[in-house]
Every structure is written in C-alpha cells, then in structure tokens.
Amino acid sequence: MYPCSGCLSGDRGIWPAQISYTRRDGLTMTTPVQQKIRDKKRTPGQIADMMKSGEWMTNGTVGGDPTACMEALANRLGDGPSNLRDMEIWNYGKFYPQLRFQEVDPFQKYHCFHDYFFFPWNRKARDDHGVTSWAQWGWTIGSWWHHYRFADGDPKKRGIDWFLNAATPVDHNGFFNWSYGTNNCNIFRESAKRLVVEVREDYPWAEGGRFNTIHIDDVDYWVEVDCEKYAWPQIDEKAMVPTQQEKQIAEHILTIMDDRDVLQLGIGSLPSACVAAMANAGLKDLGIHTEMLNYGLIKLIESGQVTNRYKTLDRGKSVWTFAFPVDTKWYYDTIDRNQHLAVYDADYTNNLNVITRIDNMIAINNCIAIDLLGQQSAGFYKKRPISSTGGYFQFMCFCSQSRGGRGVACMTSRNKEGRSRIVPFLPEGSSVDLPAQFAHYVCTEYGIVNLRGLNGYERTSALISIAHPDDREWLEREAHAHGLLAPHFPVSMKPEEGGARRYPSYKDKRNYKVPANSAVWGYDWDPIQSGK
C-alpha cells in the first residue's frame, strides 16, 4: 500500500538505517544530518520514562494524533514510587481514542485532560465519570491566545513541557512532514520545551503551503509507530447516505451558489448532501479553502468541478490544514505529493486577513441551535460540551466579509429528541459561537434566510419561517411575549432577498466586499484590498 521505508529510491523519505554515503576508499560513512536522526530515535517507553510527575504536554491535534507515546504514558500513571501523577494534557481535538487512560485512571486521579474539542471517546469519560475539563477554542485565535503565554524564544522558559505530534518518515534532507496534522503545529512547537515526533509510515507527504515540515535540528526525539497496532479508526464515508432533510437543506443552499465559488465545508453527511447537489447542478470552476479536507471536498476535486482557476489567493491550489484519514489508503493516495493541494498552518487557513481576500467564499457549517436574536451555538449547549467551536466563528464571520462571500449556518429544524433547534433564547449554559451581529445565512429543510441587515422584527420573523411548522406558533407566542415581534409591524414571515423591503439578492452583492476597516479609518477604504 505504501512505498517501502527501506528503499532509498522511494518518494516517501528514508529511515536512519539506510542513510549513508560511500567514500572513494569504499568505506560507508554517515553524514551529520543522518547521525542526528540516529541519535534522536527513541522508543515510546523511553519517552514515557523521561517524563516527570506534574509535567504538562500538548497532545498533538486533529490529524496529528500521537498514539504510542500516549499509551506508554498512560501505563506509567499510578501511586507507586516509579509512577507518574499530576500529569496535565492539553488536548486539541484528539480523534484517535485514548482508551488506555480511561482503563488505567478513569476518574483522572493521576492525570487530567483539558479538552478543547470533544470526540465520542472523550464524551464517554465526561458522561460516565464527570471528568475532563472543557475550554473554548476557536482554532487559530483560541490557540494563539491560550498558548501565547506559554511561548518563549528560549525553549527552557516555555510553559509546556512536551509537544507530541505524528508526522511522515524523514526525507534525505532531514525533514519530517506534518501531513494530516499540519494545522496547529507551528503554534504548539513555539510553546513547548521538548518536541517528540511520532513517525507513521502510513502518513502521506502533504505539499505546502507553509509550516508543513520540521527539520531534525528542531526535533528533540522521534519514535517509530507500529501502524498496524495503532491503525486509524476507519469510517466508510463513501457509504454515507444523506437524509431527506439534509438533501432539502442542500437544495436551499444551492439557491445562493454559483460557478467559481470557493468552498469551506464541515464534517458529516450534510456536506455530502451538498456535494451531491452541486454535482447535479453542474457547478464549474469551484475552489477550495478549508480547514478540514474531507470526503465531500475530495469527491468534488475528483469530479473535475474544482479547478481553483479563479481564486484570488492560491490560484490552482486546494488549500487545507488537517484531515482525518478514516479511509487510510484513499486519503494517502489523494494527498501524497499532490501538487494540486496545499496544506497550511491554521493561522493561514482560518485567518481574517486571508479569508476576507478570497472572492466568493462560502462557508457551510453545522450548528446546534440558534435563537431569535441570531445568536448561534455550535459547541457547548445546555450545560453540556458537545464538541467545540473549532473554526466555526472564523469561517462563518470572515467568509461573509469577502467580496461575494457567504457564511451559512445549517441545521435540521429539530434535533434527535424532536426539540426545535430554533429557540426564543439560547438556554442557560450555552456558548455563543457566533454573535448575533455576525449572523448571515441560516438554513433548515424549510428554507434559507439572510439575516444580515434585518431589523429585530424581521430577523425574528425570518427565523420562525424556517422552523418546523409545529414549532412556529410557540415561537411566535414567545417572540410576542418578549418584545421580539410587534403586533402591527408590517413584515412578512420571510423577508425575501430582492423583494419589496429593499434587500438585494446575493447576486446583487456578488461583487461587493464588506468594508471591514471603514470603522477604523472612518471611510470606506480597505488597506488589504488596496495592497497597502
């Protein structure tokens, strides 16, 4: 499946045992780079043996999940004199299940996970034992904000003791490639005293971009991972079948899409439904600028609908920052040395000053709930962490500020328990992941509405119009009771784009950019667009 790691002529890179050159006298010698690679190799057990009680570590991030070293660490937890205790692990969306920690220390007596994005394995720890701290993330903004206090030019003064992340085998120049987990590596490496690379032969070389590689000089230790023992969880994304509701949502989104749009899609069956709808609509010359490279986007690339020909940044490249290799061979074959893809750090893909410069950006993301003010919750709802904000705020807010851009919040009108996702007010204990003033498009199976520029009465009416029909009377009653609807204000239940109330359609705004800096400079001038 993968090129042999012992083959010098392969594209994958080479292993220390084979790195050498032959002198004229016939003796085989090791170069300085090769010697460093040999000297820095350790086993997972050796890494765990170097750790001390009370140390802090950044446990990689989505797509770069460390595995072998974490299991070795879990095995050292306990009360004995040689055991570890008070270990704090900063966990930024770890998809690979850390079940050994739950077996050894289920109530987190000796360790603590500070999780910034919950996945099912850690939700179980939360529900069964009431452990694992949760904190708001927000990708680049949150990561830099949290980790800036740990960063220092002198590694000995940094606040985090260890940073562990998966990467490809080293190449002949001494570089590892962060592959699926490029996203926050540059942030984390600047805030940790020591860096351990877990080398996986099943990781592809992802073309940059920027900050997608690291040299052996900047690595303290590296560990070889048994990819069969620590195989990635596999999900048959190709077998995902969108529900009828999701198909209807996708059809509504298509009404505000056109050729040459640049896409950001979230995860799940809804993006798959959107991809199918785009294929049926025959959209052409699409572009990609996303955080997660997923099944739907790869299918669009394979279909030929994605050309990136008209992107205003990274023309000809599909830009991404992380991926889950849940179909290991397919993802490997798609990404390895693919010059049509460019992986960047998250501070590029999710950056305000980057996204707002990409014409016709459209972000399509799931949210948990929205209230009649327009406030949106995507990570923590009713006193319970569901996942986290991720890149929700950046893409939903910043895409809608690009020329012709749109941020689309998607959800079924009701959740799995049959309760309305459109509520009068977000309940106590819910995070506001997109403030009301940044709300743009909202879509359910009953329609899509543009909240930008609507007054309070219109916004309330628009949201009620796409709620489940059986919930509308209740929402109207609550809206009147709390002054969100007036009895005689002349507004329809669904203000239409391009309709009688002066709101233009999205196509009328396709060549318009929100003057994000006008509030600062006092006039409608954008230094980013002007190139100054």
Side-chain angles (χ1 to χ4, degrees):
M1 181 164 79
Y2 312 105
C4 175
S5 60
C7 179
L8 280 172
S9 61
D11 293 331
R12 285 286 296 135
I14 44 187
W15 292 93
Q18 286 78 39
I19 306 178
S20 60
Y21 70 94
T22 303
R23 300 193 327 188
R24 291 183 180 180
D25 58 11
L27 294 177
T28 300
M29 303 295 293
T30 302
T31 68
V33 168
Q34 295 149 5
Q35 189 62 51
K36 291 175 185 176
I37 295 171
R38 286 180 175 174
D39 291 344
K40 292 184 177 184
K41 184 177 181 180
R42 298 290 187 274
T43 66
Q46 288 173 323
I47 297 297
D49 287 344
M50 284 187 271
M51 295 179 177
K52 300 176 183 178
S53 291
E55 288 191 321
W56 292 9
M57 66 192 62
T58 300
N59 184 25
T61 185
V62 284
D65 306 42
T67 53
C69 291
M70 295 305 294
E71 184 171 312
L73 167 60
N75 290 335
R76 283 204 61 199
L77 298 175
D79 277 324
S82 62
N83 291 130
L84 296 175
R85 59 186 62 83
D86 300 326
M87 306 299 289
E88 297 194 31
I89 304 166
W90 303 71
N91 202 44
Y92 288 82
K94 190 165 177 57
F95 183 75
Y96 191 94
Q98 292 295 297
L99 302 181
R100 185 59 181 157
F101 283 90
Q102 295 178 11
E103 295 170 358
V104 172
D105 189 21
F107 292 97
Q108 297 190 15
K109 179 180 179 181
Y110 307 109
H111 81 287
C112 180
F113 271 117
H114 304 297
D115 211 332
Y116 285 72
F117 197 107
F118 273 49
F119 282 107
W121 70 271
N122 216 0
R123 292 184 197 134
K124 187 176 188 303
R126 171 204 63 200
D127 295 340
D128 292 353
H129 306 298
V131 295
T132 301
S133 71
W134 180 93
Q136 192 65 284
W137 186 356
W139 279 100
T140 50
I141 291 176
S143 294
W144 276 114
W145 186 255
H146 281 286
H147 277 259
Y148 177 77
R149 69 182 302 177
F150 302 138
D152 198 288
D154 181 356
K156 294 179 181 178
K157 297 180 180 179
R158 292 172 181 171
I160 301 294
D161 296 296
W162 299 87
F163 167 40
L164 297 87
N165 208 80
T168 67
V170 66
D171 72 2
H172 65 281
N173 291 313
F175 284 95
F176 302 90
N177 184 286
W178 291 125
S179 190
Y180 299 120
T182 297
N183 49 3
N184 281 307
C185 286
N186 192 54
I187 302 169
F188 297 149
R189 64 182 285 238
E190 293 181 357
S191 58
K193 295 181 177 74
R194 283 156 292 186
L195 168 58
V196 179
V197 172
E198 285 201 354
V199 169
R200 297 190 61 110
E201 187 183 353
D202 59 358
Y203 267 33
W205 188 278
E207 298 291 349
R210 70 178 192 184
F211 299 134
N212 60 316
T213 61
I214 189 166
H215 194 265
I216 187 64
D217 286 344
D218 299 315
V219 172
D220 292 285
Y221 308 105
W222 68 273
V223 170
E224 184 176 354
V225 173
D226 183 339
C227 295
E228 291 187 7
K229 180 179 179 181
Y230 298 101
W232 262 85
Q234 298 295 280
I235 299 172
D236 188 0
E237 292 179 292
K238 299 174 184 177
M240 286 185 177
V241 179
T243 66
Q244 184 59 36
Q245 291 172 318
E246 289 168 336
K247 291 179 181 178
Q248 290 171 328
I249 290 171
E251 290 297 329
H252 292 312
I253 294 173
L254 270 182
T255 64
I256 61 163
M257 288 191 66
D258 213 331
D259 296 341
R260 306 183 184 182
D261 277 344
V262 179
L263 308 176
Q264 181 265 327
L265 292 179
I267 189 172
S269 55
L270 179 56
S272 299
C274 292
V275 167
M278 291 174 205
N280 293 335
L283 292 177
K284 303 186 297 294
D285 290 320
L286 298 173
I288 291 174
H289 182 102
T290 190
E291 53 186 349
M292 179 177 180
L293 184 65
N294 56 27
Y295 164 78
L297 294 174
I298 293 174
K299 290 299 291 182
L300 277 178
I301 294 170
E302 291 181 344
S303 73
Q305 290 175 273
V306 172
T307 66
N308 295 296
R309 189 174 294 142
Y310 296 96
K311 287 176 69 176
T312 47
L313 287 180
D314 299 295
R315 187 163 295 175
K317 302 283 187 179
S318 291
V319 169
W320 61 292
T321 192
F322 78 88
F324 299 120
V326 292
D327 184 335
T328 306
K329 185 179 186 305
W330 187 51
Y331 274 83
Y332 183 99
D333 292 342
T334 299
I335 292 172
D336 191 50
R337 306 286 181 177
N338 189 339
Q339 297 294 321
H340 293 292
L341 302 177
V343 65
Y344 282 86
D345 58 295
D347 196 38
Y348 181 85
T349 59
N350 295 43
N351 193 294
L352 161 67
N353 292 326
V354 173
I355 296 173
T356 56
R357 293 166 60 194
I358 303 173
D359 291 356
N360 303 317
M361 273 291 298
I362 179 167
I364 302 171
N365 290 285
N366 297 314
C367 77
I368 298 170
I370 182 171
D371 67 18
L372 296 180
L373 298 174
Q375 300 180 119
Q376 299 171 24
S377 180
F380 198 104
Y381 192 64
K382 296 178 72 172
K383 305 179 182 179
R384 183 172 180 264
I386 307 300
S387 56
S388 190
T389 303
Y392 190 86
F393 173 79
Q394 282 93 340
F395 280 98
M396 296 296 290
C397 177
F398 303 157
C399 283
S400 64
Q401 294 183 37
S402 76
R403 180 176 286 114
R406 289 133 289 160
V408 186
C410 304
M411 57 188 175
T412 54
S413 61
R414 284 179 165 177
N415 62 23
K416 294 179 181 178
E417 289 74 40
R419 299 187 182 92
S420 178
R421 293 187 185 274
I422 299 176
V423 294
F425 300 99
L426 290 180
E428 180 183 4
S430 300
S431 62
V432 177
D433 298 293
L434 189 73
Q437 61 267 35
F438 295 121
H440 200 190
Y441 286 93
V442 180
C443 186
T444 73
E445 69 270 29
Y446 292 102
I448 185 168
V449 292
N450 183 356
L451 301 187
R452 173 171 283 169
L454 300 188
N455 62 54
Y457 295 158
E458 292 173 320
R459 178 170 290 203
T460 297
S461 295
L463 288 168
I464 292 174
S465 76
I466 60 171
H468 191 283
D470 293 343
D471 295 322
R472 293 175 189 172
E473 183 179 348
W474 161 68
L475 288 169
E476 286 185 54
R477 186 168 59 250
E478 288 294 308
H480 282 295
H482 297 287
L484 301 180
L485 279 179
H488 303 298
F489 187 79
V491 60
S492 67
M493 283 299 296
K494 187 176 180 181
E496 297 286 345
E497 289 195 23
R501 287 192 57 79
R502 309 184 188 184
Y503 297 110
S505 70
Y506 90 95
K507 287 193 175 183
D508 294 326
K509 289 292 188 183
R510 193 166 175 83
N511 294 316
Y512 180 81
K513 176 183 172 64
V514 174
N517 292 281
S518 60
V520 177
W521 298 101
Y523 47 90
D524 189 1
W525 176 72
D526 186 345
I528 295 173
Q529 286 294 317
S530 69
K532 298 181 180 180

